[in-house]
Amino acid sequence: MPMLENELARRQTNGNGLELRPQPVRVQWVWDDLITADSNDLKCTFTCSVRALSDAPERRMLEEVLLGPRTALRAEHVVTHFSPTLRAAAADQARTKGVAAWLEPGAKDQLVAALKKAAGQVAFSCGLEVLPPFQLEVESRSYAQEQSRQMQRRLAEQQAAGQVEHFTRAAELLKKFQEIRQ
């Protein structure tokens, strides 16, 4: 039976050895409860590829550490195994900057580097290789809500200023009208 799309390795049906997927599999982690230096929330979605290494020592590590009693190693097993380490690395990095800094173009490179390093360390210990492309998406609900409130405040201020200006013009016109009448 051919390997499923999300499988990295599978025990052979005769029980002798492992069948490894030669192509990498994409995996994704989502953390929506990270906190930035200015106490805003930060949601991060990190995606990369992983591949099982074919050397005999790596195969044994893969079998011992990740496969265990399972018949197949799937992408979700990798995600679960890597999650605590990657989440800790993401949380540590998130606390180093305010949310606005994280949302700027190019600011994610520091976080991607930390996640690549952490993923590489975990992968080394379990017979996997972490591969590009590395993708990181960041967003913040609290920051978006604050930006929305500020925009609404500015619009309300502009509207109030417009009303004051309109009232001032109307008062001037009324004054001129009364002068003309007299």
Side-chain angles (χ1 to χ4, degrees):
M1 181 167 103
M3 293 181 90
L4 299 175
E5 226 177 83
N6 67 342
E7 287 182 332
L8 284 140
R10 179 189 294 168
R11 289 190 201 283
Q12 293 179 341
T13 53
N14 62 10
N16 291 337
L18 291 177
E19 178 184 357
L20 302 179
R21 171 180 295 288
Q23 310 89 349
V25 172
R26 295 293 283 169
V27 289
Q28 182 178 77
W29 294 268
V30 178
W31 306 286
D32 57 2
D33 58 348
L34 302 176
I35 304 298
T36 62
D38 56 2
S39 299
N40 279 286
D41 69 272
L42 192 67
K43 177 181 180 181
C44 293
T45 303
F46 179 62
T47 309
C48 67
S49 296
V50 292
R51 178 176 57 203
L53 297 171
S54 59
D55 297 343
E58 277 82 7
R59 280 177 177 255
R60 278 193 302 280
M61 292 196 41
L62 178 81
E63 197 168 6
E64 290 173 13
V65 176
L66 287 175
L67 194 58
R70 298 184 194 99
T71 57
L73 175 64
R74 294 187 182 91
E76 59 265 20
H77 301 135
V78 173
V79 168
T80 300
H81 184 74
F82 280 58
S83 237
T85 302
L86 293 183
R87 191 203 178 294
D92 288 345
Q93 286 300 309
R95 286 190 291 267
T96 64
K97 296 181 186 177
V99 70
W102 283 118
L103 297 174
E104 288 179 10
K108 299 182 284 189
D109 295 344
Q110 176 184 348
L111 185 50
V112 169
L115 290 169
K116 282 170 45 176
K117 181 179 177 185
Q121 291 169 346
V122 176
F124 179 77
S125 70
C126 61
L128 293 177
E129 180 179 26
V130 178
L131 301 167
F134 299 99
Q135 289 180 293
L136 180 67
E137 296 172 22
V138 294
E139 59 186 77
S140 174
R141 285 185 315 273
S142 61
Y143 186 71
Q145 289 169 350
E146 178 61 29
Q147 294 293 63
S148 177
R149 281 192 295 270
Q150 286 179 5
M151 171 98 59
Q152 289 172 350
R153 194 175 314 126
R154 279 195 300 272
L155 289 173
E157 288 170 358
Q158 288 174 354
Q159 185 178 17
Q163 288 173 344
V164 166
E165 185 178 330
H166 179 71
F167 180 73
T168 304
R169 278 194 211 136
E172 288 174 8
L173 285 174
L174 181 60
K175 187 177 178 181
K176 284 183 183 181
F177 179 71
Q178 288 175 347
E179 286 175 4
I180 292 172
R181 262 180 89 190
Q182 289 176 355

